[in-house]
Amino acid sequence: MASVAAAAFSALARVAPPSARSTKSPKAKARNVATRATPVVQVVAVEAPLSPQQLERVGNPIYTTLETLLPDYAYNFKIGDKVSGKVFHCDGKGAWVDIGSKAAALCPGNESSLETVRNAGQVFTVGDDYEFEIIKDDDGEGVLTLSVRKIQLEAAWERCRTMQAEDTAITGVVLSVNRGGLLVEVEHLRGFVPQSHIAIRSLNREELVGQTIPVKFLEVDEEKNRLVMSNRNASDVVAGEGLGVGDVCKGIVQAVKPYGAFVDVGGISGLLHISQISHDRIVAVENVLAPGDELKVLILSKDGERGRLSLSTKKLEPSPGDMLRNPALVFEKAEEMGRIFRERVAAAEAAAQAEEGVGGELKGMAPVAAEASEEEA
């Protein structure tokens, strides 16, 4: 380029050769000036040489077609957009995803799941498609930041709102205990169960940590990140579901009172009254039972609205007084004695119905009914 310009300037500055200054008449000189054409210099701009990659594209129909189609597929992504993308690589930074943008997008490890995971490789399978939400704009190199955790978090809050509206019970894991109540995890969200809404009676609440308890939602506020639940309202629905009068089940003595013992039966509290512990007379409940004792009890009655059970070990004694002399035998024979009790109750009910319908034709069943009535007492 420089040599061309220099030649041009040289041509412009060039003067006529000495032979042109010969002794011609003024008229001849005038004719020469009039007829002599003014020299024209053309300056040509020479472009820098093309790289091998550029030379490859010149005239290549594939690149020509691609350049034509790219404007139709120009995506304008923004924060909050939900996009679908294919994971093509996982490393220490997270999962690299093709979402159709100019550069690959990144889903960091801590945004890979609502659960705690060590790395993105635990969550994603290379080659599979997933849904993401854009949470951070271009980092200057064209890389967008994605999140699966945010989508799962929104879905978890929505499920909690639905369960609150439908008054549905769910189970949660106790994470910790404090003076105010329990910190419980449900749907991978942390919620609080106030002291007044804990149905489980326990002298040592720390023992509840790690255990699963039933809860219902009292308050679900995603904006304030506030989740308040009740164990008391859910106890009869979840833990007591399927329990009926006459059923035999295991329980743990939670507290001993002068009038009886409170027994936890699968998360629902039941009262084992002093009169229902044994056929033999009991002077002091603490002489027979202590907190932490494991029992098998028979359900005498069930108050669904208040979430309470009335229990009995007296009905499970093979012989009167076995709860005092041989409680292990009562535990062993509980199911058998429970079956006998239910059969006697069914016979008594059948006899009562027969008496109402036929009068005194089935009086022969009266002794059985009377025996079952005595057992109920």
Side-chain angles (χ1 to χ4, degrees):
M1 185 69 121
S3 61
V4 174
F9 284 113
S10 176
L12 290 173
R14 188 180 302 139
V15 295
S19 59
R21 297 193 217 127
S22 59
T23 56
K24 288 185 178 181
S25 64
K27 290 183 178 180
K29 291 181 180 179
R31 283 196 301 270
N32 288 338
V33 171
T35 59
R36 188 168 58 217
T38 303
V40 177
V41 178
Q42 184 175 5
V43 180
V44 180
V46 179
E47 296 183 356
L50 299 176
S51 66
Q53 292 82 2
Q54 290 173 322
L55 288 173
E56 183 184 351
R57 295 187 181 189
V58 174
N60 190 323
I62 296 178
Y63 287 102
T64 303
T65 305
L66 182 62
E67 290 174 358
T68 304
L69 294 175
L70 276 177
D72 297 333
Y73 292 90
Y75 294 100
N76 294 317
F77 296 110
K78 61 182 182 297
I79 295 176
D81 284 352
K82 288 183 172 60
V83 296
S84 179
K86 184 185 295 293
V87 175
F88 64 86
H89 179 66
C90 291
D91 58 20
K93 291 184 178 180
W96 294 93
V97 188
D98 178 11
I99 61 171
S101 58
K102 294 180 180 179
L106 174 66
C107 180
N110 60 356
E111 291 294 338
S112 299
S113 175
L114 194 55
E115 301 181 44
T116 303
V117 295
R118 288 178 298 176
N119 54 66
Q122 290 182 274
V123 180
F124 301 110
T125 300
V126 174
D128 285 358
D129 292 321
Y130 298 88
E131 186 180 13
F132 302 88
E133 182 171 331
I134 298 175
I135 60 173
K136 189 177 180 182
D137 230 336
D138 188 340
D139 65 352
E141 298 182 0
V143 178
L144 298 171
T145 303
L146 310 177
S147 175
V148 171
R149 179 183 177 276
K150 198 166 187 298
I151 295 176
Q152 293 177 344
L153 185 63
E154 293 173 357
W157 279 104
E158 182 59 34
R159 287 193 296 271
C160 291
R161 282 191 290 268
T162 300
M163 285 186 282
Q164 182 190 27
E166 297 176 353
D167 197 32
T168 303
I170 188 175
T171 56
V173 178
V174 179
L175 300 177
S176 62
V177 179
N178 57 43
R179 295 181 61 183
L182 306 176
L183 185 65
V184 179
E185 180 181 291
V186 290
E187 294 290 333
H188 300 295
L189 302 176
R190 293 190 173 191
F192 183 68
V193 178
Q195 183 81 17
S196 59
H197 280 272
I198 301 174
I200 303 171
R201 290 178 169 85
S202 175
L203 297 179
N204 184 9
R205 288 276 168 82
E206 293 293 337
E207 295 178 353
L208 296 176
V209 175
Q211 294 189 23
T212 299
I213 64 171
V215 293
K216 275 188 175 183
F217 295 101
L218 297 176
E219 182 179 351
V220 179
D221 192 332
E222 181 180 3
E223 187 175 333
K224 295 181 179 179
N225 196 31
R226 182 177 170 84
L227 203 60
V228 183
M229 299 168 286
S230 172
N231 166 243
R232 187 186 64 199
N233 292 356
S235 292
D236 185 60
V237 178
V238 175
E241 187 176 5
L243 296 179
V245 175
D247 287 348
V248 175
C249 47
K250 289 183 180 180
I252 303 293
V253 176
Q254 300 293 326
V256 175
K257 303 294 181 181
Y259 50 84
F262 286 99
V263 181
D264 175 42
V265 180
I268 184 170
S269 180
L271 174 61
L272 178 59
H273 194 268
I274 189 172
S275 64
Q276 286 296 329
I277 295 177
S278 177
H279 285 85
D280 283 4
R281 183 174 178 273
I282 296 175
V283 177
V285 178
E286 59 268 23
N287 293 339
V288 183
L289 300 173
D293 286 352
E294 185 177 21
L295 306 172
K296 283 187 179 178
V297 293
L298 182 139
I299 299 176
L300 285 180
S301 65
K302 178 179 177 180
D303 187 341
E305 293 183 0
R306 301 176 66 184
R308 294 181 180 178
L309 300 175
S310 293
L311 310 173
S312 174
T313 53
K314 174 181 176 179
K315 306 299 183 186
L316 301 179
E317 288 184 319
S319 300
D322 278 344
M323 270 300 293
L324 306 182
R325 294 185 295 271
N326 192 359
L329 180 63
V330 178
F331 192 93
E332 180 184 347
K333 298 288 186 179
E335 283 75 16
E336 180 183 343
M337 297 304 297
R339 177 180 54 79
I340 294 173
F341 173 81
R342 290 191 295 272
E343 289 174 354
R344 288 176 176 173
V345 171
E349 290 176 348
Q353 292 175 0
E355 280 190 9
E356 290 179 2
V358 187
E361 291 183 7
L362 297 177
K363 287 183 180 180
M365 295 187 66
V368 178
E371 183 181 355
S373 299
E374 290 177 2
E375 286 294 321
E376 287 181 298

